[in-house]
Amino acid sequence: MKKIEAIIQPHKLEDVKEALKDIGIDGQTISEVRGHGRQKGHKEVYRGMEYTVDLLPKVKIEVVVPDARCEEVVGALARAARTGQIGDGKIFVLEVADAVRIRNDDRGDAAL
Ligand SMILES: Nc1ncnc2c1ncn2[C@@H]1O[C@H](COP(=O)(O)OP(=O)(O)OP(=O)(O)O)[C@@H](O)[C@H]1O
Ligand SMILES: [Mg+2]
């Protein structure tokens, strides 16, 4: 199994959720996070004063999928989240050792 962690622009969340639903991915965890990439945030003017805003709001989506579906899901996430502008986000893929459905002890792919 693989865990796909996508950090995306918050306004792309609905498009991304729709794309996952379209390919039959049900389980997911969504969090509101803050971060920056290589531009290290940017400067913003608020009430005439310039502030350095170095952590921008992003949304993190975590999806654990069987190995065989990983590329398909990464592709769907990237297509749905892309605007072509800086700050579009990033996708990380991690190995997952096991999964357990707490209700009935299903393990591995069966627990997803
Ligand atoms: N190396 C990293 N490790 C962990 N999180 C990261 C990393 N790079 C980016 N992120 C997360 O992804 C968000 C979006 O990153 P961003 O798309 O700006 O990356 P970038 O490398 O600067 O690419 P771009 O040039 O397209 O902006 C960041 O706010 C941060 O939360
Ligand atoms: Mg950036």
Side-chain angles (χ1 to χ4, degrees):
M1 289 167 288
K2 300 276 195 283
K3 176 155 91 165
I4 302 164
E5 282 191 12
I7 318 273
I8 64 163
Q9 297 277 27
H11 75 268
K12 279 293 195 175
L13 178 59
E14 289 310 313
D15 288 347
V16 165
K17 280 166 59 183
E18 194 65 34
L20 292 175
K21 193 172 148 206
D22 287 349
I23 59 171
I25 297 292
D26 301 321
Q28 55 198 260
T29 302
I30 313 276
S31 339
E32 291 178 9
V33 297
R34 285 151 62 82
H36 67 65
R38 56 189 181 174
Q39 288 84 17
K40 303 191 183 66
H42 66 160
K43 290 192 190 320
E44 274 185 13
V45 176
Y46 178 69
R47 294 186 174 167
M49 298 274 288
E50 193 175 74
Y51 293 86
T52 298
V53 182
D54 60 359
L55 292 169
L56 301 174
K58 303 283 173 183
V59 167
K60 179 166 77 173
I61 301 159
E62 296 168 80
V63 194
V64 178
V65 299
D67 286 341
R69 297 211 63 188
C70 185
E71 279 309 309
E72 176 194 7
V73 175
V74 169
L77 280 168
R79 273 192 303 279
R82 182 176 298 128
T83 69
Q85 305 297 308
I86 59 170
D88 266 0
K90 216 157 270 188
I91 299 174
F92 301 104
V93 178
L94 297 78
E95 290 287 345
V96 172
D98 204 356
V100 180
R101 189 186 320 279
I102 291 174
R103 175 170 59 82
N104 58 9
D105 282 337
D106 280 348
R107 297 299 284 254
D109 287 0
L112 303 179

